[in-house]
Amino acid sequence: MIKGIRLLLRRSTYAGALFAYGAALASLPLLSFALLPVLAWRSAPEGVQVVVVLLVWGALIGLVGLARTTRRVLTASARRLLRVSLPEPVAVRTSTNPPGGPVPSMSAPAASRADRWRTPLWLLLHVAVGWTGALTSGLLLFVGLTLPGGWLDAELGLSLFGRSVRVEGGWQSWAVGLGCLVLAAAVCVLVTNALRWSAPRLLGPSAAERLALAAERELRLAERNRLAHELHDSIGHTLTTTTIQAAVAGEVLSADPVAARAALRSIEESARAALEDLDYVLGVLRERDTETAPTRTLADLPELRDRVRHTGTAVEWQLTGDLTRVQGTLSRAAYRILQEGLTNAMRHGAGGPIEVRVTAAPEGLELGVVNTMGTGTGEGTGAGSGHGRGRAFPSSGHGLPGLAERVRLLHGEFDAGPDGPRHWRLAVRLPVRWSP
């Protein structure tokens, strides 16, 4: 009983009832068109005329419900006024998905065509419930306000199963009037609950739309995961190199100002490149329009080599094959893998020379980074343990798993671990398609 009283007192109950009554009023212009066949067929019996008007009126309401805009408006209104959780309608793909996209459902197109009739059905139900509730609650409200005290000389007579009861005044009129007001409020509760029950079933996503929503959510999560890898690789490498470069600049500032200025210029260039990556990633995460994504490929290895060289780290590069023939996603992924491998080696290696090997051949692209391990016992460093150059770098533990996931998506081979007693080796092999 307490729950029923709360329903009568909730503002959302009457907002939902107004939503229903508004649909009834909005359907009135269509009624004028539904009267046209009757005006042209005046000789028809009255009952037939009523049936024709109702059928034409319902058909016109159903046609309005077929419009995509109608469903979007009804969905937004139901969320706001009925307080039901409804996702935005999505377009169901009816053609073959592009390569790499989600596997299409064979029944999705047919289900989509059948589900288009759910919105007209809900709109018809909406209007019918609205008219029924408006007439019933309006009559009860009128009786409840005019009956007490004999206002407007109102009297009430009820006849049921051969028995008649008349309410003319006194306390009975007040009691019956109050009861009518409560019943009018109860009608609002019933109308709102009927719409709340039917909205998710008729306005909510169909099976095909749920598949489309799941596919869209999967693509969005995959994109965010990719951006997280990009951000980790780019910002992690930049912070590592700039930290070392700043330390180098501080050490040689008095003895070799030229080298110090070179290190500072390299810090500026690295920070600018990292800011471009960060701005792009944040723009995508905030779902706003961004400029073209900054891309780094194997063609940018000279820039990466100079940036590492300015830190004072000894790196031995061994590039074999025509790297320009490796393009697209594979070239970008190879650059990020080498960048992350160098970052791990600089952060966690013992400071000895780092060997970088890149071999491009028709049978595959091989990447390798070998560095000297430190003497510490750190875990999850990705390049051995220890603190290169006497500086400690924290480890997130996401470097190697991220690389392994990237390589797996490219159907490549990944191996990372100790290579003898003093070295750590990162080895990656990726399948290659030569560009023409």
Side-chain angles (χ1 to χ4, degrees):
M1 182 176 179
I2 296 178
K3 183 179 180 180
I5 295 175
R6 288 178 179 175
L7 290 175
L8 294 177
L9 298 178
R10 283 180 182 172
R11 185 174 59 180
S12 60
T13 295
Y14 302 99
L18 289 177
F19 180 40
Y21 303 161
L25 292 176
S27 66
L28 283 177
L30 297 177
L31 179 61
S32 59
F33 292 98
L35 292 173
L36 295 178
V38 175
L39 295 177
W41 189 21
R42 295 180 180 272
S43 61
E46 183 178 347
V48 174
Q49 290 181 344
V50 172
V51 172
V52 170
V53 170
L54 293 177
L55 289 177
V56 175
W57 194 14
L60 293 175
I61 293 173
L63 288 176
V64 173
L66 287 175
R68 294 177 182 266
T69 305
T70 301
R71 185 181 178 191
R72 292 187 179 276
V73 172
L74 290 175
T75 300
S77 302
R79 279 201 305 262
R80 184 174 181 84
L81 298 176
L82 296 178
R83 307 293 184 184
V84 292
S85 178
L86 293 174
E88 284 293 335
V90 296
V92 179
R93 188 181 300 277
T94 57
S95 59
T96 304
N97 290 42
V103 178
S105 172
M106 297 302 293
S107 60
S112 178
R113 287 192 294 269
D115 289 333
R116 288 192 63 187
W117 293 101
R118 296 190 310 141
T119 303
L121 180 60
W122 193 84
L123 189 57
L124 285 170
L125 177 64
H126 190 179
V127 172
V129 170
W131 274 110
T132 303
L135 294 176
T136 305
S137 61
L139 178 61
L140 290 171
L141 186 62
F142 177 78
V143 173
L145 293 177
T146 58
L147 187 62
W151 295 342
L152 302 179
D153 296 327
E155 295 182 358
L156 179 63
L158 299 176
S159 179
L160 184 63
F161 300 117
R163 295 187 177 185
S164 298
V165 177
R166 298 188 64 85
V167 180
E168 299 179 354
W171 67 270
Q172 291 182 345
S173 64
W174 286 93
V176 173
L178 179 60
C180 289
L181 294 179
V182 174
L183 287 177
V187 169
C188 293
V189 173
L190 292 176
V191 168
T192 301
N193 286 343
L195 294 182
R196 283 176 177 167
W197 178 86
S198 60
R201 290 163 175 79
L202 296 177
L203 286 182
S206 63
E209 288 174 326
R210 281 194 290 270
L211 287 175
L213 283 171
E216 182 179 307
R217 184 163 51 250
E218 182 180 355
L219 290 176
R220 187 165 55 248
L221 290 175
E223 174 66 9
R224 290 181 176 239
N225 189 44
R226 183 188 67 81
L227 291 175
H229 285 313
E230 295 287 333
L231 191 61
H232 173 272
D233 296 346
S234 176
I235 302 303
H237 174 77
T238 300
L239 292 177
T240 299
T241 55
T242 52
T243 300
I244 297 176
Q245 288 165 350
V248 171
E251 293 174 358
V252 301
L253 182 60
S254 300
D256 193 349
V258 176
R261 283 194 294 269
L264 293 175
R265 281 196 303 270
S266 181
I267 291 175
E268 179 185 0
E269 295 171 359
S270 300
R272 186 180 294 111
L275 284 176
E276 292 177 1
D277 293 340
L278 182 61
D279 182 66
Y280 169 72
V281 171
L282 293 179
V284 174
L285 292 178
R286 292 169 181 168
E287 298 182 351
R288 63 175 173 84
D289 294 335
T290 58
E291 298 179 356
T292 304
T295 58
R296 308 285 189 270
T297 65
L298 291 177
D300 297 301
L301 284 182
E303 177 188 343
L304 178 63
R305 180 168 49 193
D306 291 341
R307 192 181 307 137
V308 175
R309 179 171 55 83
H310 287 150
T311 66
T313 303
V315 181
E316 299 176 0
W317 294 81
Q318 186 179 16
L319 308 180
T320 305
D322 188 0
L323 301 184
T324 60
R325 299 186 66 179
V326 182
Q327 297 181 357
T329 302
L330 186 62
S331 183
R332 291 191 294 271
Y335 177 89
R336 291 302 189 189
I337 291 171
L338 292 173
Q339 184 186 54
E340 178 65 13
L342 279 169
T343 302
N344 284 344
M346 294 166 62
R347 294 176 70 179
H348 309 296
I354 302 173
E355 299 177 9
V356 178
R357 180 175 53 84
V358 182
T359 303
E363 60 271 11
L365 176 65
E366 296 183 1
L367 311 173
V369 178
V370 179
N371 66 278
T372 304
M373 289 194 299
T375 58
T377 59
E379 295 181 3
T381 62
S385 53
H387 309 306
R389 300 180 182 276
R391 289 179 291 273
F393 290 92
S395 173
S396 64
H398 300 307
L400 285 181
L403 285 180
E405 177 67 13
R406 188 191 296 271
V407 173
R408 184 187 66 81
L409 293 175
L410 293 172
H411 306 287
E413 301 174 5
F414 175 86
D415 183 32
D419 184 25
R422 299 188 60 250
H423 293 88
W424 179 277
R425 180 177 63 90
L426 168 68
V428 173
R429 180 180 176 84
L430 301 173
V432 170
R433 287 186 179 179
W434 287 107
S435 62

